[in-house]
Amino acid sequence: MEVRPAQGWAGGGRVAALAAVLWCVWWRAAAERVRYAIPEELGRGSLVGPLARDLGLSADELPARKLRIVAGDEKRYFTLEEDNANLRVNDRIDRETICGAVSPCVLSLEAVVENPFDIFHVSVTIQDINDNAPQFDRGFVTIEMIESTPPGTRFPLGSGRDPDIGANSLQKYELIPNPLFSLLVRESPDGTKHAELVLEKGLDREKQRNHHLILTAVDGGDPVLSGTAQIMINVTDANDNPPVFTKEIYTVQLMENLPEGSLAFQVKATDNDEGTNAEITYSFSDIAKSIRQPFTLDPSTGDVKVTGALDYEERKYYEMSVEGKDGGGLTAHAKVHIDIIDVNDNAPTLSLLPILNPIPEDSLPSTVVAVINVRDKDSGENGEVSCKIDGNFPFRLETSSENSYKLIIASALDRENVSAYNITISAMDRGRPALRSSAELVVEVSDVNDNAPVFEEAAYSAYVAENNAAGALVVRVQARDADAGANGRVSYWLAGGSAGAAGAAPLVSVEARSGALYAQRSLDYEQCREFAVAVRAQDGGAPARSSTATVRVFVLDRNDNAPRVLWPAAAASPFEVVPRSAEAGYLVAKVVAVDADAGRNAWLSYELVQASEPALFRVGLHSGEVRTARAVSERDAAKQRVVAVVKDHGQPALSATATLHVVLAESLQEALPELSERAAGAEAAAAELQFYLVLALALLSALLVLSVALAVLARLRRAGPPAVLRCLGAQRFSVAGAAFPADFCEGTLPYSYNLCVAAPARAVPEAAWPPPPVGSNCFCGGRSFRFIKWGWGFFNLFR
C-alpha cells in the first residue's frame, strides 16, 4: 500500500486516524497470547518462531530488556538462542507422550522482559504427525463358534490402537473377503472404532472345523500405516442358549483415590442351559495392556477389583469388554465404561523467578521483585489456586495471568531496620480438604547512603594540663553511621574553630580513621585557657553525608610562673623614710606582687626573711604590707635593709624576693646625709648616670604634669572631678602606676597602683587616713616622704 502525503487539514486527520488504528492494533497484539504451531518430533535446535520480533522487540534493545522464558515442566522443551531473538526446540517433543488423546496439544510459556517489566504469554501447539501405526492388543484372536450359531450373530474382534489423532489415527478396518463372514465397524461416543465379525451364513462343523481370517487396521496418514491381527475361528458343537448379561453397557464411576483391592463393580450374566452349558466363566475380551494392570476380573463371580493406582491426572476413563462363556462354548459380551472422578490429591506447585535481588533500599513501591508461577494438576475447584504471602512484609502479590503472580514492593524499604526478608509464599487450592504448598524466597536489601554519621555526644569537653607534650592525646570522638560498607565508613576532619577561639584550629589535629584529637604543640594556660574546634564526621558514600560535633578543650593551669614583684622594683632599690617617732604598726611600705598562674597557684603569701633589726619590722601574710612591729627607738640604726619573700601555693611553690631600704629620720634634711653617704659609695659611672637620669626625669615630669593637667581639665568639663583628684584632695599626689604584663588575666588581682605621697607634716595616725576612692586602686605608702624619694621612685617605675 502506498502512503501519500496528506493535503491540508483533511490529510492531517487521515494521518492521525491511521496512527490511532496502528496503535490499537499494536496494543491488542501485545495484550494477546503469542501463538506458534510446530509438528512433533522436530530435532533439537529447530526453529519455533521469531519470539523477539513477534513481541515487538528490536535487536538493539534485546540486551537491556533481558528476554527470558519462564514455565514449569514445559520449559525443558524450548530454549532461546544466545541472542534471545528466536525460540527453538530444546528437547524431543512426542505429542503422544505429552498430551495423549487430548487435542489440541498446547504447551504454555511465559516470556519475561525488563526495563520496563512485562510478561507475555506464549502458547506452542504441537501438531500430530503420522508416526504411529495402528496396533491390536492381541495379534492372534481365537473365536469359538458353535455350529448352530444363527446368521447375523456378531463377534467382537476388539479395536486397534493408534496414539495419533485426527486423520493420522485409525480410520477403518479391512477383512480378507470370506463368504461366511463380514465385517461391521461401530464407533463409540468417544470416537473409538470397534470391529465386529458378523456371521453371514450357517456353519457346518462337519464340512470345515476352522476358519482363518486376517483383520487389518488402517489409519489416514500420509503415508498410510496399518496393523494386522490373525483371527482363528473354531467351530464347535451346538449349545442352544448363549449367556446373556444383565446390562449391555456397564457405566461405572470410581474415585481416583480408591484403595487397591477394593471392589470396583460386578458384571453378571445368565444362561438358560443346564449343567456345564450353564456354567459361565468371565474374562476381559477387549482390554489394553495398560488397563489390565489396575483391574482384575474374578472369572467365576464377575467381580472387578482395583489392583493398581488410579490417577485422574493420567487417565480420566477406561473402556473394556467383558466376555461371558458357558460350558458349551457359547459367549456373550458386554461393554464397560469406567469414569475416574477427580479428588484433590495434588497440592499446588510453585516456581519462583527472582527479577531483582538484592533490592536497593530506595526502590519505589510497585517495583517487581519476582515472578511466581503456580500449577495444580487437579481439575475444577481442586485445581483453582490462590496465593498469598505469609506474615507482614512490605511486599504484596499481584495477579499477572491465570497461573502467574508478580511479587512487588508495597511500601518503602529500610536496610538499617531489615537487611533481608525471608518471604514464604503459600498456594492453596479450593478442594475439600484444601491442599497447600509453600516456597521460600530470600530477598536481600542493598544499602544506599541515606544516613549521616551521628556523634555519640553533640558536644565534647576535654581537659588538658598546660605544658603538655606535642602529640599528646586530647580526646577521642566517635560517630556511628547506620549504613553499610563504604556508606558507613566514617572519617573525621577539623571543620574550624568556634567564636572566641581564634587561632585554635592549629592547636589540635584529628586522626581521620580513629577520631582521636592530638595536641599539635604545647599549650600555655596563660596564653589560652580554652578553645573550641568543630569536628566533622563524613561517610564514604556518594554523595557523602556528614555531621559536626563541637569539642571544647579546657587548659588546666600548672604552677609554672613565679610571683613577680611590682613594688619595690629590684633595679631601683628605693629608700623608705620612717620617722623615729613612728609607733608600732606604722606602715612602712607595701610589697606588691602578681602571679600569672590561676587558682591556688596564684594565691600569694608574704614572709620577712631578712632584716637589719628583725624585731623592728613585720610583713602582712596576705597583704604584703611592711609595718613596724614596735616603736622606733634611738638605738636603732639609721639605715635598715628589709628582705621579704613572696610565695605562691603551687606544688611545688615558687617564690620571689623584694628588698626595701629604710632610713630612720625625722625629716628629709636628716635623711640626706644617709642618702649622700650611700651615693658616695657608688661608683663614679653610676653617679654620672644618675645625674643624667634625674635631668631626664625632671623634663619628663614637667611634660607629664602638663599632660595630666590638660587631661584633667578636659575630663572635668565632661564628667566632673575624677577619682584621682579625690586622692589629691587629701593632700596626696599620684606619682606613677605600677607596670605589669597585659596577659595577667586571672592571676593575682590585677592591681593598678597609684603611689600617693603625703607632704612633710606631723604624723597622722594610720586609722585617720581617708580610704582610697572605689576603683581608684591608689594607696599611700608613707607619712613623711621627701621630694627626692618621689623622684627616685618615679624614675624606677618608668625605667
Side-chain angles (χ1 to χ4, degrees):
M1 180 181 66
E2 181 181 358
V3 180
R4 298 180 178 177
Q7 301 295 328
W9 291 101
R14 287 194 294 272
V15 172
L18 178 59
V21 171
L22 292 177
W23 168 256
C24 293
V25 171
W26 178 87
W27 179 85
R28 182 176 182 183
E32 292 180 349
R33 183 183 296 268
V34 178
R35 305 179 185 274
Y36 297 108
I38 61 172
E40 62 174 327
E41 303 297 339
L42 285 178
R44 180 184 178 90
S46 298
L47 177 64
V48 177
L51 180 59
R53 188 190 68 188
D54 293 341
L55 294 180
L57 303 177
S58 64
D60 294 335
E61 65 180 332
L62 273 179
R65 297 300 298 274
K66 297 179 181 179
L67 176 63
R68 289 172 286 175
I69 58 173
V70 183
D73 296 336
E74 293 85 352
K75 183 179 178 182
R76 66 186 180 91
Y77 296 110
F78 303 97
T79 184
L80 282 173
E81 289 180 348
E82 293 182 357
D83 57 357
N84 292 343
N86 297 324
L87 184 66
R88 293 188 178 274
V89 175
N90 187 48
D91 194 6
R92 175 178 175 270
I93 301 176
D94 185 5
R95 191 206 63 80
E96 288 74 25
T97 302
I98 297 174
C99 298
V102 177
S103 180
C105 181
V106 180
L107 298 181
S108 297
L109 305 171
E110 277 81 37
V112 178
V113 293
E114 299 179 18
N115 303 317
F117 177 84
D118 203 352
I119 297 179
F120 300 91
H121 305 286
V122 181
S123 62
V124 181
T125 302
I126 309 302
Q127 298 173 339
D128 182 61
I129 64 174
N130 193 23
D131 57 340
N132 293 280
Q135 292 181 351
F136 291 92
D137 295 329
R138 292 181 295 173
F140 192 88
V141 180
T142 301
I143 300 177
E144 298 288 340
M145 292 187 184
I146 193 168
E147 63 179 349
S148 60
T149 301
T153 302
R154 293 177 294 181
F155 298 89
L157 298 178
S159 58
R161 310 289 177 181
D162 191 340
D164 295 327
I165 61 173
N168 296 325
S169 65
L170 191 151
Q171 300 295 318
K172 62 181 179 177
Y173 294 95
E174 297 177 354
L175 186 66
I176 293 179
N178 188 294
L180 297 178
F181 303 95
S182 64
L183 186 65
L184 177 64
V185 179
R186 296 178 58 189
E187 186 173 351
S188 61
D190 61 349
T192 304
K193 295 178 173 61
H194 304 276
E196 294 181 350
L197 186 64
V198 180
L199 182 62
E200 295 292 336
K201 297 179 180 180
L203 298 174
D204 188 355
R205 182 175 176 276
E206 284 71 24
K207 288 183 179 181
Q208 187 176 354
R209 297 183 59 179
N210 298 302
H211 300 270
H212 182 260
L213 303 174
I214 296 178
L215 179 64
T216 303
V218 181
D219 64 17
D222 185 16
V224 176
L225 300 179
S226 63
T228 60
Q230 303 289 329
I231 301 175
M232 181 61 67
I233 301 174
N234 297 322
V235 181
T236 61
D237 285 334
N239 182 15
D240 296 335
N241 295 289
V244 178
F245 280 95
T246 57
K247 293 181 180 179
E248 185 178 356
I249 298 176
Y250 289 87
T251 301
V252 181
Q253 291 183 339
L254 300 179
M255 304 293 290
E256 65 171 326
N257 61 348
L258 195 65
E260 294 185 14
S262 301
L263 177 64
F265 60 94
Q266 184 186 46
V267 295
K268 188 69 174 176
T270 59
D271 194 314
N272 293 329
D273 293 326
E274 293 182 354
T276 57
N277 290 332
E279 294 178 0
I280 301 175
T281 302
Y282 302 95
S283 64
F284 289 121
S285 63
D286 181 18
I287 185 169
K289 294 179 180 178
S290 59
I291 301 178
R292 288 176 184 165
Q293 183 180 359
F295 299 103
T296 58
L297 176 60
D298 190 317
S300 59
T301 62
D303 292 340
V304 179
K305 294 184 178 180
V306 177
T307 57
L310 303 179
D311 192 347
Y312 174 85
E313 287 70 40
E314 291 185 2
R315 189 157 187 167
K316 298 177 175 57
Y317 64 90
Y318 295 88
E319 190 173 68
M320 63 192 75
S321 295
V322 179
E323 180 183 76
K325 180 185 292 187
D326 59 19
L330 296 180
T331 60
H333 299 84
K335 292 287 185 180
V336 178
H337 187 89
I338 302 174
D339 291 321
I340 306 301
I341 300 176
D342 180 52
V343 296
N344 193 24
D345 59 343
N346 291 282
T349 59
L350 296 94
S351 60
L352 305 178
L353 174 64
I355 299 297
L356 187 62
N357 196 3
I359 310 171
E361 63 176 322
D362 59 350
S363 297
L364 297 176
S366 75
T367 300
V368 179
V369 176
V371 175
I372 298 95
N373 189 269
V374 185
R375 303 288 187 191
D376 195 316
K377 294 182 179 180
D378 295 320
S379 62
E381 290 188 350
N382 297 331
E384 295 178 4
V385 182
S386 60
C387 286
K388 67 174 184 178
I389 298 176
D390 295 343
N392 187 17
F393 296 100
F395 302 94
R396 61 184 175 88
L397 288 176
E398 185 176 285
T399 303
S400 176
S401 63
E402 182 179 357
N403 297 317
S404 298
Y405 293 85
K406 292 186 293 186
L407 180 66
I408 63 177
I409 299 175
S411 59
L413 305 177
D414 189 356
R415 189 207 64 83
E416 288 69 42
N417 290 333
V418 182
S419 61
Y421 295 91
N422 192 355
I423 304 173
T424 300
I425 300 174
S426 297
M428 180 181 294
D429 58 29
R430 297 182 60 189
R432 296 182 182 179
L435 298 180
R436 61 175 295 170
S437 59
S438 61
E440 291 187 354
L441 177 64
V442 178
V443 178
E444 297 181 353
V445 181
S446 61
D447 183 58
V448 297
N449 193 24
D450 57 346
N451 290 278
V454 178
F455 281 94
E456 293 180 344
E457 301 179 25
Y460 292 82
S461 297
Y463 299 88
V464 181
E466 66 173 331
N467 303 326
N468 59 285
L473 177 66
V474 177
V475 70
R476 192 182 302 273
V477 299
Q478 188 170 11
R480 302 186 183 278
D481 196 309
D483 294 319
N487 296 332
R489 191 178 301 117
V490 180
S491 56
Y492 302 89
W493 311 87
L494 288 180
S498 62
L507 296 179
V508 294
S509 64
V510 62
E511 188 174 277
R513 290 301 177 194
S514 65
L517 269 72
Y518 296 98
Q520 290 288 84
R521 56 186 175 86
S522 179
L523 302 177
D524 190 354
Y525 173 83
E526 287 71 39
Q527 293 183 0
C528 180
R529 301 189 177 184
E530 67 174 90
F531 61 91
V533 293
V535 179
R536 184 176 77 251
Q538 180 175 301
D539 59 29
R545 292 177 177 268
S546 63
S547 60
T548 304
T550 301
V551 179
R552 185 169 293 278
V553 181
F554 297 91
V555 182
L556 303 179
D557 181 55
R558 284 183 174 175
N559 192 26
D560 58 345
N561 291 278
R564 181 178 177 185
V565 177
L566 302 180
W567 179 263
S573 300
F575 280 87
E576 301 289 343
V577 179
V578 177
R580 287 189 174 272
S581 60
E583 300 294 332
Y586 179 85
L587 178 64
V588 178
K590 180 178 178 66
V591 178
V592 180
V594 294
D595 195 315
D597 295 320
R600 293 181 57 86
N601 297 330
W603 294 356
L604 302 181
S605 61
Y606 303 84
E607 296 180 10
L608 196 64
V609 296
Q610 186 180 353
S612 302
E613 292 291 339
L616 180 59
F617 300 101
R618 61 181 174 84
V619 62
L621 180 62
H622 300 293
S623 65
E625 294 177 346
V626 180
R627 296 178 182 270
T628 56
R630 58 176 174 79
V632 180
S633 66
E634 295 296 331
R635 296 187 301 273
D636 294 329
K639 293 187 294 182
Q640 298 286 335
R641 183 173 178 271
V642 179
V643 179
V645 64
V646 183
K647 295 183 179 180
D648 59 26
H649 285 69
Q651 294 293 333
L654 301 178
S655 63
T657 59
T659 302
L660 294 174
H661 297 278
V662 180
V663 176
L664 302 178
E666 287 294 337
S667 63
L668 181 61
Q669 291 78 9
E670 184 180 346
L672 285 176
E674 300 296 336
L675 299 176
S676 299
E677 181 180 352
R678 181 176 183 277
E683 296 180 356
E688 184 178 359
L689 177 62
Q690 181 177 357
F691 171 77
Y692 288 111
L693 290 176
V694 170
L695 179 61
L697 178 63
L699 296 176
L700 292 175
S701 299
L703 183 61
L704 177 64
V705 169
L706 179 60
S707 300
V708 169
L710 294 176
V712 168
L713 290 176
R715 185 172 181 180
L716 287 175
R717 293 183 63 183
R718 292 194 304 267
V724 67
L725 295 183
R726 293 198 296 270
C727 183
L728 295 175
Q731 294 185 350
R732 300 177 178 90
F733 57 93
S734 177
V735 179
F740 52 92
D743 59 350
F744 291 163
C745 48
E746 287 190 9
T748 308
L749 294 175
Y751 298 106
S752 178
Y753 294 100
N754 293 322
L755 181 62
C756 301
V757 181
R762 64 182 182 85
V764 180
E766 183 179 353
W769 295 359
V774 177
S776 65
N777 291 330
C778 68
F779 68 95
C780 297
R783 250 188 293 173
S784 58
F785 294 99
R786 301 293 185 266
F787 176 81
I788 190 168
K789 179 179 183 298
W790 172 85
W792 186 260
F794 189 88
F795 161 73
N796 281 292
L797 290 176
F798 279 84
R799 54 179 300 189

